[in-house]
Amino acid sequence: MHQNGCTENYFLKQIVPELVVFCVPLLSFLGEPYEFIPLDWLKKWLDDSTATKEIDSSVFLCSHGKLHPDKMGEIKRVSLQAAKLLYERYGGGPRLDGSSLCRDCVSERCRVLRLKKQLDEDYKEISNLVKCTPSGEGYWVDKASLRSWRQLAMEQLEEDEHETKHSNGHTNGQGPHTNKFDLDVSGGVEDETKTFNEDIICSHGGLSILETERKLVSNEVWTKLREYFPKAPEFTHIQEPCRQCLTLEQEEKDNEAVSKMMALDQKNQLLNLFHEKNRPTLNKWPQGTDRLYIVPLFFVEEWRKFIRRPTKSSPVSNVGNSLLLCPHGGFMFTYDSLINGEAQHIALLWPNEWEVISRLFIVDKPIAIHCVRQTTQDSSTMQYTTQPDSLKLPPFAVMTEILTSGRLSVNLWEVLSRLFGKLFQVST
């Protein structure tokens, strides 16, 4: 049996090369049928030291399942008789003949080559055409794409050309190498390629309302651009901008107008507080009043940000005085601690300013400091009290109780620790 196989193999290796070498030049002239055999497979088959495997033509197929034009240099045209002998002896497939060449791939390759050659000429013509204003009719193109369309076209053509190119493979029984996990070996990250005319589309899929970002081009210009970007979004001159975007834009303008009016009104009513003029101090109690009000300095700083940039900053609606109170409701500062440096965490208000703030903002808890003059026969002294009363426990003990009771979050604990760090040092 082995002797018969060797004899058959010897016969094929003597006869088939003659059919390949001598008959192929006459195939086209005589109109004889033919098929394609992998050239690499034929070389290995003629080499006695190499084990002959079945014929694998699958590596020459394109994504459409047809013969890829890039692989024509890697296959050998043989007579139908020679192909029949080889396939009967070694098996394999698929069998490829003159009708197997992919028409779609050939057409796409011709299109890419034609447009690459035509690109420079079209660039000059379009550059001249866009200088003229179209007479009413045309198509909308975003200006960024119009400025860089040549580069985008070249990238698109190179991408199309790359897609039509065939991946490297092996023949004579060795299939193309594939990644074990079917990942991109270059890194697995897909490049974000800019699409022509994409900036003209809003988030709702309609025409952008930004008129300054787009330009109307003539039908002639758009026709040429469409050759390079057949999938580009298309908007004619009669296309209306996105209604949803227009509604949102109007709402935003209305909100900005309200914010500006609100900021102007608040600024006019609290002008000295905004400019930080004529501010009361505790070191020298102001005459004419026995009461001052207290708010966190953070509130005043955020409020000033809103007044300066009402369309960029959020309006302030609450005065969070509870930040300055302990869980028992006591004020966490004393008069003495405030005049010794802790006043940097608060802002003092005149009574008339407090009336305005109470009307404009939501106040969770009013905090005031009172000055009472006590006169005796020998002397006159000033006594200062707060409402609510100042804390009775040392600050460190109070904060420890708050934290251990679980009534304060860790983040707030860190904030308060920074605010009242000096008090803790004094108390401990």
Side-chain angles (χ1 to χ4, degrees):
M1 187 70 177
H2 176 71
Q3 183 177 2
N4 292 337
C6 292
T7 302
E8 182 181 0
N9 192 41
Y10 174 79
F11 170 76
L12 288 172
K13 289 189 176 184
Q14 293 297 320
I15 300 301
V16 172
E18 295 182 2
L19 293 174
V20 173
V21 175
F22 295 107
C23 294
V24 167
L26 300 176
L27 294 179
S28 300
F29 178 74
L30 298 177
E32 293 293 332
Y34 59 89
E35 291 190 19
F36 294 107
I37 299 293
L39 184 59
D40 189 46
W41 186 94
L42 287 172
K43 292 178 180 178
K44 294 179 179 179
W45 171 69
L46 292 171
D47 186 358
D48 291 331
S49 63
T50 303
T52 304
K53 301 180 180 179
E54 67 176 12
I55 303 171
D56 183 13
S57 301
S58 61
V59 295
F60 304 111
L61 302 182
C62 66
S63 58
H64 309 104
K66 306 284 284 184
L67 177 58
H68 199 286
D70 284 352
K71 289 297 183 178
M72 293 302 297
E74 301 178 30
I75 53 179
K76 185 72 174 179
R77 190 169 63 173
V78 302
S79 67
L80 181 63
Q81 181 182 359
K84 182 179 179 182
L85 291 173
L86 293 175
Y87 276 108
E88 287 178 354
R89 176 65 179 86
Y90 301 104
R95 297 179 68 166
L96 305 174
D97 56 23
S99 64
S100 301
L101 187 62
C102 182
R103 179 179 294 272
D104 293 336
C105 286
V106 172
S107 299
E108 178 63 16
R109 179 60 56 81
C110 292
R111 184 189 75 86
V112 171
L113 293 175
R114 176 179 58 82
L115 290 178
K116 271 190 171 184
K117 185 177 180 181
Q118 186 181 340
L119 182 59
D120 290 339
E121 182 180 343
D122 285 342
Y123 176 73
K124 294 178 182 179
E125 185 174 357
I126 289 177
S127 297
N128 292 327
L129 289 174
V130 294
K131 295 177 182 178
C132 303
T133 304
S135 57
E137 298 183 356
Y139 294 83
W140 290 111
V141 178
D142 76 77
K143 293 181 178 179
S145 293
L146 197 58
R147 287 191 298 267
S148 59
W149 79 267
R150 183 185 185 183
Q151 179 184 353
L152 293 174
M154 181 59 70
E155 293 174 355
Q156 183 65 52
L157 291 174
E158 290 177 352
E159 181 180 346
D160 293 344
E161 186 176 23
H162 177 74
E163 290 179 355
T164 59
K165 287 183 178 179
H166 199 281
S167 58
N168 292 330
H170 302 281
T171 57
N172 203 358
Q174 303 178 26
H177 174 71
T178 57
N179 190 310
K180 179 179 180 181
F181 300 100
D182 196 25
L183 296 176
D184 183 6
V185 294
S186 62
V189 179
E190 184 179 355
D191 293 334
E192 294 185 1
T193 305
K194 179 178 175 61
T195 304
F196 180 81
N197 220 26
E198 67 177 1
D199 292 339
I200 206 172
I201 304 177
C202 71
S203 58
H204 311 106
L207 178 62
S208 171
I209 62 175
L210 302 176
E211 296 183 4
T212 57
E213 300 298 323
R214 64 177 188 259
K215 180 180 178 63
L216 190 67
V217 300
S218 64
N219 296 340
E220 184 179 1
V221 171
W222 181 251
T223 301
K224 289 184 175 296
L225 292 174
R226 285 285 287 184
E227 291 186 27
Y228 296 94
F229 311 103
K231 297 181 181 179
E234 182 177 285
F235 296 100
T236 63
H237 67 284
I238 61 174
Q239 177 69 46
E240 294 183 357
C242 175
R243 292 188 176 275
Q244 289 180 267
C245 288
L246 290 174
T247 302
L248 292 175
E249 182 187 38
Q250 186 59 47
E251 291 178 356
E252 184 177 354
K253 289 181 179 178
D254 294 342
N255 292 335
E256 289 181 356
V258 171
S259 295
K260 289 180 179 179
M261 292 177 57
M262 182 188 301
L264 182 61
D265 179 60
Q266 293 180 6
K267 178 182 176 181
N268 290 335
Q269 295 189 63
L270 298 169
L271 196 59
N272 286 338
L273 180 61
F274 174 74
H275 291 295
E276 211 167 350
K277 293 182 178 179
N278 189 27
R279 305 316 307 152
T281 62
L282 295 178
N283 291 326
K284 186 179 179 180
W285 189 270
Q287 296 181 356
T289 182
D290 62 349
R291 176 180 300 184
L292 296 175
Y293 288 87
I294 295 175
V295 294
L297 182 61
F298 175 77
F299 160 77
V300 178
E301 291 174 343
E302 291 299 308
W303 174 74
R304 285 176 179 150
K305 289 180 183 178
F306 168 69
I307 300 301
R308 292 188 183 99
R309 304 182 67 187
T311 61
K312 303 297 182 180
S313 304
S314 300
V316 180
S317 58
N318 296 278
V319 179
N321 273 350
S322 59
L323 182 65
L324 305 177
L325 305 178
C326 72
H328 311 96
F331 183 47
M332 298 189 69
F333 296 97
T334 64
Y335 173 80
D336 291 335
S337 69
L338 289 175
I339 63 175
N340 288 326
E342 294 305 320
Q344 61 181 322
H345 305 305
I346 66 167
L348 292 172
L349 305 177
W350 297 101
N352 62 327
E353 291 176 334
W354 175 253
E355 291 180 5
V356 175
I357 285 181
S358 299
R359 186 174 67 254
L360 296 179
F361 305 97
I362 300 174
V363 181
D364 51 1
K365 186 70 176 179
I367 301 177
I369 184 167
H370 302 265
C371 175
V372 180
R373 181 181 297 274
Q374 293 183 343
T375 305
T376 62
Q377 294 180 352
D378 300 330
S379 63
S380 177
T381 59
M382 305 293 289
Q383 183 177 359
Y384 302 97
T385 60
T386 61
Q387 183 184 2
D389 292 337
S390 298
L391 50 84
K392 304 303 181 183
L393 296 176
F396 182 80
V398 173
M399 298 308 296
T400 302
E401 179 183 344
I402 295 173
L403 186 63
T404 55
S405 66
R407 298 179 59 183
L408 190 65
S409 69
V410 176
N411 290 338
L412 189 53
W413 163 257
E414 294 176 354
V415 173
L416 292 177
S417 297
R418 291 194 298 270
L419 288 176
F420 310 123
K422 293 182 181 180
L423 272 177
F424 299 161
Q425 295 174 3
V426 172
S427 300
T428 55

